[in-house]
Each structure stands twice: as structure tokens, then as C-alpha cells.
Amino acid sequence: MKNRGATILAIIGAALLILPLVVHDTFVLRVLTEGVMWIGLAIAFDVIAGYTGYLNFGHGAFFGIGAYTIGILMMQANLPFWAALPAGGVAAAVVALIAGIPTLRLKGAYFAIATWALSRAIQQLALNVEFTGGPDGMRLEAFLNPQFFYYLMLITVGATFAILWYLLERAPFGLKLKAIREDEEGAKALGLNPTKLKMQSFVLSALPTGILGGIYAYWITFIDPSSTLGDLVSDQAVVMVVFGGMGTLFGPALGAILIFAFKTIFWAYLSDFQLLYLIILGALIAISVIFIPNGLWGTMFKRKADATRPQHQPEPASEPAALSAVAAPEEGN
Amino acid sequence: MAEPILKVNSVTKCFGGLTAVDDVSFSVEKGEIVGLIGPNGAGKTTLFNVISGYYAPTKGSVVFQGNDISGKPPYHLAGVGIGRTFQVVKPFAGLTVLENVTIASFLKHPKKADAERHAWQVLEATGLADRANVSAAGLTLAGRKRLEISKALALEPSFLLLDEVVAGLNPTEADRTVELIMKLKAQGLTILIVEHIMRVIMNISDRLVVLNFGKKIAEGTPAEVSSDPHVVQAYFGEEAA
Ligand SMILES: Nc1ncnc2c1ncn2[C@@H]1O[C@H](COP(=O)(O)OP(=O)(O)OP(=O)(O)O)[C@@H](O)[C@H]1O
Ligand SMILES: [Mg+2]
């Protein structure tokens, strides 16, 4: 089972790597690049939303902050792209750290509203200060190499996926975040510090998002407050994750692929009906929440009974042995 | 006698104008089971919340293994050896029973595989192993109470606070939990337990502390306490006294 999953992943990975050698159509490559980007945005969003239970309606702000950081550093400080790119991730992470202090105290809808308001404030800021170019936006030096951006996006998202997979599914961190999501007060009694874990989660969500924003800016070569700091990035991330399956990595990835494919096809044939697209997105959220609360992935792959139970008890008198493992009071202090 | 593991020194806890715990002092010796009893609203759970770090005392202090722990956060106290259960159970409902316990096992077993192995041992000991892969939301009340105990035990505490882990169970389930508690005592664990069921609390406690309206009204062996006129009055009202 596990091996089959790994094989499928390896085949998909290999296919994605050799794709540009086969596909020379720049439009197709462009769509693929953006699709890969959305996978990255969705899984990063799910760290705080799905694993930790804090629905961040300002996720797009991290994307925009990354984009603007790269734009400003390249065009105003004349830094090369590679020097500017990490700064985009760091800037988003720092904003998450600062924004997290007041907002992560809030619960449920209050957190969603606060993060949404904060992202609106950041957009207003970008519209009204000089160094961002205000409403006219900012043009970056053009580097027109579709293959380069495809591979850069693929490697960044691949690395993000691998790191998140390790931290959230292999290491204890993911389960600890889920404990916070399920019951913060109860988690405290088990030695978990909710404030610290929520901060770590928020930063971990913001960092790759800022980097993806930076790559996006250099790729598209033009950024303005409505394209990178608007609601659309947050809204689409929410739909992708809720539809795909919160609290998993494959769910949001699947959601991202399906929603982005739908958007691309819709845009190609029905570009006059943009409002309809938004209505369908909204309906999709409602339908997923009502009929498939675990999302597509969670519904397709119900958790299998874990086969980790020790098969052979080493000691025949298993109960006292197990108990002594449980109750080990400290002696002599 | 050695230094008591827990000393509660004149602890007062107020909520606005209400004094839920009023100048309470007592101590718990290593290896003892101390029962904390009193009518509904006497302040037992509030006192548990002060000892386990959920509330800072308004006045007074709590000393654990010689260190003043008053006002320290619960996650710190879990680390120094205080495990607790919740009267209103707090399962991580969206996670499996095994995952619930594994999260507690992380405290002493930072590697996931080790923590999982440890969680299995705890579940075997508490009798929940057969339910390990069930969602915690799917447990019965008895199962949830057992899960509370399992999570507290997975911390490998030296001191355990049990808040009504027997109440609401049928007699068979209650006996199993009492048996488990006695086994833990035999392992050397120190336990402070709140319980309304007299049959249980009188049998398992070495000593009892009685609260009424936030005040300590009696302390002593079960025999001493049950013949104490203050206690009889608190439980059965004026006429009985
Ligand atoms: N967070 C709180 N805010 C305000 N009042 C509280 C709070 N917690 C408890 N109280 C009040 O403090 C008093 C003591 O409550 P507590 O829960 O400690 O009693 P208890 O002895 O555990 O009762 P029971 O046997 O019913 O569990 C009650 O009057 C209760 O209403
Ligand atoms: Mg109570």
C-alpha cells in the first residue's frame, strides 16, 4: 500500500520533470506552472487552516508580501533574483509572526475576520505608499524563460511538499497541531504550549507562500495590489483546501489541481461569465461542507486501521509490564 | 517522614465576587491516595485547576516537590510530573484513540515511533487497546473516561489528579477503574482524586480532604471523616447533624 503510493508519486514526479521536453506549447507550460503554484499555495494554507484549525482568510497577503518584497529588492535595491527570493519568504514569515500575536488569540470566525481585515489593510497600504508604485503596481525586469519558471516552481513546490510531509505526517509536529485544533485547553494538560505551536504553524504556512509570491512576481513581471494582494488568492486557497480535504497534504493538492483545471477551462471558454465562476466556487464550498465535510480526499480514503499494534507481546505477563512503563514515578528527590 | 510531594498553602481562588476556594491548606505524601470530596459546587474542580496550572491562585501557593508552582502554565506542570484528567472529558474528537494518547506520550518520548509504541503500552494497561484505531468521538462515556486516564498516564507523571473518573460508569466498569487506580498506587504513583461515589472514595483513599463552599471543613482517614459532625451536616443538612 505504502509502496504503491510512493511508486505513483515517483511516476507523477518523473512525468512532471520531463514534461517540458515533450510539451513545447508555451500556453500549456504556463498553465502547468500556475497549477503547480496553486498546489504549493493550497498545501501551505492547509498547515494553519487544516492541521491547526485556524481558517486564515488573509493567506493571500503572504503571497503578495513575497511578491512585493522581490519586486522592491530587485527593482529598487538592484539585488539579483536569487538574493531577493529568500527575503520574500522571510518577509512573509516575519509578518506572520507579528500578525499572529494578536490574531491567534482569536477563535473560529473571529480569526477568519481578523486575518481578512489585516490582509485588506496590507492591500490598502500597498495602494497608498510610494515605493510599491501604488495602484499602478510595479513592473519587474523581464526574464522570459517559461522552462526556467516551470522548473523553479516545480522544485519549490516539490520541496515544500516534502518538508511539510515530513513535519506534519512523519514527525510529532503534525499531531501536536491537530491536538491544538481539537482542544487547546486539553492539549495544555499534555505538555503542549498552544501559543508556541500556533506561531510555528503560522510561520510555516507563510514562509513558502512568500517564496511562491516572489517566483510569481518575477515570472509574470508585473504586480499590483489587486492581482497579488486581492481576495482571490485567499478565496481560491480556501475552496481548494475545503473541497480537497483539510488536514491532509494530498487533499489540498487534489483540490488545487481540480479547481485550477476547472478555472482554466472555464476561463478559456466562458470568460464572459466571470461572475458565474465565482458563484460556482461559492456553491462548491457549500456543497463540500455539507456533503463531504472531510473533502474529496478524506472521503475517498477513509483512515485505515493502523497496523502499528505490537503483534507479539514480549512478556507473557503483559499487563504489569505495561503498567510499569506507564507509572514511573521519580524516586529520591 | 519525607517532604510531601504536594503542599497546598492557604489557597484562595475567586471568580469576581465568588470565592470558589477559600483559604484551603493540605498536603499529599508520596505514594498516597488522597480523596477530595464535598457537595456540588464545593470548589473541588477549581482547586484541581489551580494545582494543575489552569488558574493562578488569588492568594496562597502550591508547592510541588519542593518548588513553588503557583501560576505556572499547565504545559510546564505536565513536564514536571503532574498529570490530570478532566471532569468534563476532553477527547481530541477528530483523532483516533491511539493518536490521542500518542500526543501525551510525546512528552517523554519525542520520537514518533517511540511515542506510538508507548501509547500502545498505555492502552493495553488501561484496557483500551482494542479501541485504539477508533475515532475518539466514537467512544462511550466509559471509554472517554478511560481515555482521559490513558492520556494522563502517558505523560508518565509522578502525581495524578483524577476528577470524577468513576462517576457515570456502571458497576462493572467502575470496578475496573478502581482496580486500575489501585494498580497505579502499587506502582508508587501519588494520586489526588475527586469522586462523589462514597463506596469508591471511602475504599481507595488513605486520607480524605472535605470541602464545603470553598472551605476545608475536615481532613483525616475515611473513618474519621465519615463520623465528623461537620461533614455529616454538609452532606445531609441541619437535621441530620
Ligand atoms: N470559570 C469559572 N468562572 C466563574 N465561576 C466558576 C468558574 N468555575 C467554577 N465556578 C464556580 O465556582 C464554584 C465551585 O465550582 P467547582 O466546579 O470547583 O465545584 P466542584 O466542587 O467541582 O463541583 P462538582 O462536584 O459539581 O463538580 C461553583 O459555584 C462554580 O459555579
Ligand atoms: Mg467538579
Side-chain angles (χ1 to χ4, degrees):
Chain A
M1 175 64 210
K2 198 162 259 171
N3 281 335
R4 204 176 64 191
T7 313
I8 293 171
L9 265 187
I11 292 171
I12 294 175
L16 287 170
L17 277 173
I18 57 170
L19 213 70
L21 305 178
V22 188
V23 177
H24 297 287
D25 185 329
T26 27
F27 173 74
V28 173
L29 205 54
R30 195 195 143 98
V31 166
L32 287 171
T33 307
E34 198 181 337
V36 170
M37 180 184 86
W38 279 108
I39 293 177
L41 291 175
I43 59 173
F45 171 76
D46 197 39
V47 176
I48 188 75
Y51 282 87
T52 321
Y54 281 77
L55 206 54
N56 173 17
F57 266 91
H59 191 64
F62 297 142
F63 182 79
I65 286 163
Y68 269 99
T69 304
I70 271 76
I72 291 164
L73 287 180
M74 284 180 72
M75 302 315 291
Q76 285 164 32
N78 285 316
L79 281 183
F81 173 67
W82 293 113
L85 187 59
V90 171
V94 169
V95 170
L97 206 59
I98 297 167
I101 294 169
T103 56
L104 286 170
R105 291 164 190 270
L106 306 168
K107 296 256 159 75
Y110 296 99
F111 176 79
I113 292 166
T115 47
W116 176 82
L118 207 63
S119 73
R120 297 285 61 89
I122 290 170
Q123 188 186 27
Q124 286 305 313
L125 194 72
L127 277 167
N128 289 297
V129 293
E130 198 114 308
F131 63 90
T132 58
D136 298 335
M138 185 183 280
R139 192 159 285 288
L140 279 80
E141 133 200 1
F143 179 63
L144 303 171
N145 184 338
Q147 266 91 5
F148 168 81
F149 286 106
Y150 173 77
Y151 280 117
L152 182 58
M153 209 65 101
L154 191 63
I155 288 164
T156 306
V157 170
T160 302
F161 198 102
I163 292 168
L164 292 183
W165 171 260
Y166 175 77
L167 288 174
L168 301 173
E169 297 293 335
R170 282 276 158 268
F173 186 61
L175 258 189
K176 290 181 181 177
L177 293 186
K178 287 179 180 174
I180 300 300
R181 176 187 77 196
E182 297 293 323
D183 191 329
E184 267 180 68
E185 291 304 308
K188 283 187 197 166
L190 306 185
L192 304 185
N193 179 344
T195 310
K196 193 172 120 193
L197 286 164
K198 287 188 284 184
M199 280 297 187
Q200 289 171 339
S201 165
F202 209 26
V203 167
L204 187 63
S205 173
L207 187 84
T209 307
I211 292 175
L212 289 172
I215 298 173
Y216 175 84
Y218 193 34
W219 174 40
I220 301 296
T221 73
F222 174 73
I223 52 176
D224 69 2
S226 68
S227 67
T228 62
L229 284 165
D231 275 330
L232 194 70
V233 174
S234 306
D235 292 352
Q236 292 215 134
V238 173
V239 185
M240 287 167 175
V241 170
V242 171
F243 179 60
M246 298 178 92
T248 65
L249 286 176
F250 287 107
L254 181 67
I257 293 167
L258 294 177
I259 301 286
F260 182 71
F262 169 67
K263 179 190 171 187
T264 306
I265 294 164
F266 194 96
W267 243 230
Y269 296 103
L270 293 165
S271 55
D272 294 340
F273 302 95
Q274 303 203 353
L275 187 66
L276 184 63
Y277 171 72
L278 291 176
I279 292 170
I280 293 174
L281 272 197
L284 205 55
I285 286 213
I287 290 168
S288 337
V289 169
I290 296 167
F291 294 106
I292 46 166
N294 296 322
L296 270 187
W297 188 265
T299 308
M300 279 166 18
F301 300 93
K302 280 245 164 60
R303 200 199 314 271
K304 301 258 167 33
D306 211 340
T308 53
R309 184 174 188 175
Q311 292 301 311
H312 311 284
Q313 295 298 316
E315 290 92 352
S318 66
E319 209 169 332
L323 269 176
S324 66
V326 170
E330 283 160 55
E331 291 298 337
N333 56 348
Chain B
M1 202 167 206
E3 165 106 341
I5 189 168
L6 179 84
K7 272 200 281 192
V8 175
N9 299 320
S10 316
V11 164
T12 297
K13 174 66 197 173
C14 304
F15 297 110
L18 177 89
T19 307
V21 175
D22 193 353
D23 197 26
V24 170
S25 301
F26 66 94
S27 48
V28 179
E29 306 294 334
K30 201 170 254 176
E32 258 190 322
I33 295 185
V34 174
L36 183 62
I37 61 172
N40 289 113
K44 306 177 295 292
T45 297
T46 304
L47 188 55
F48 264 33
N49 284 334
V50 171
I51 295 171
S52 59
Y54 279 85
Y55 300 142
T58 310
K59 273 189 233 134
S61 66
V62 180
V63 176
F64 180 69
Q65 291 178 331
N67 302 311
D68 188 342
I69 56 162
S70 344
K72 293 254 170 70
Y75 44 86
H76 173 84
L77 299 184
V80 302
I82 300 182
R84 71 162 293 178
T85 66
F86 291 91
Q87 179 181 354
V88 179
V89 293
K90 289 184 176 295
F92 301 132
L95 306 181
T96 66
V97 168
L98 181 68
E99 287 172 327
N100 267 265
V101 178
T102 303
I103 289 163
S105 293
F106 285 143
L107 184 72
K108 292 282 167 75
H109 306 271
K111 288 214 182 101
K112 195 165 181 183
D114 296 344
E116 228 164 64
R117 203 172 311 124
H118 181 256
W120 272 114
Q121 290 178 335
V122 173
L123 291 173
E124 301 281 0
T126 57
L128 266 183
D130 290 333
R131 316 285 291 151
N133 288 305
V134 172
S135 152
L139 290 178
T140 60
L141 178 71
R144 286 172 197 222
K145 296 222 164 183
R146 237 144 223 274
L147 179 58
E148 282 291 310
I149 301 178
S150 306
K151 284 157 89 172
L153 287 180
L155 301 169
E156 298 181 34
S158 45
F159 181 60
L160 193 58
L161 294 154
L162 300 175
D163 198 349
E164 303 202 15
V165 290
V166 184
L169 306 189
N170 69 37
T172 324
E173 294 161 349
D175 287 345
R176 281 176 65 199
T177 298
V178 168
E179 200 182 306
L180 175 63
I181 293 170
M182 295 317 289
K183 264 184 198 152
L184 295 171
K185 178 186 159 77
Q187 300 284 338
L189 205 59
T190 310
I191 298 171
L192 182 63
I193 179 168
V194 168
E195 197 52 75
H196 282 295
I197 305 172
M198 285 301 144
R199 174 176 74 92
V200 169
I201 200 81
M202 291 291 165
N203 275 330
I204 65 175
S205 305
D206 297 305
R207 282 188 308 123
L208 291 174
V209 171
V210 190
L211 294 185
N212 192 26
F213 293 114
K215 286 198 170 65
K216 183 175 97 174
I217 56 167
E219 179 176 356
T221 63
E224 287 163 5
V225 163
S226 53
S227 57
D228 187 306
H230 294 102
V231 177
V232 176
Q233 186 179 348
Y235 271 91
F236 304 108
E238 293 290 336
E239 317 90 83

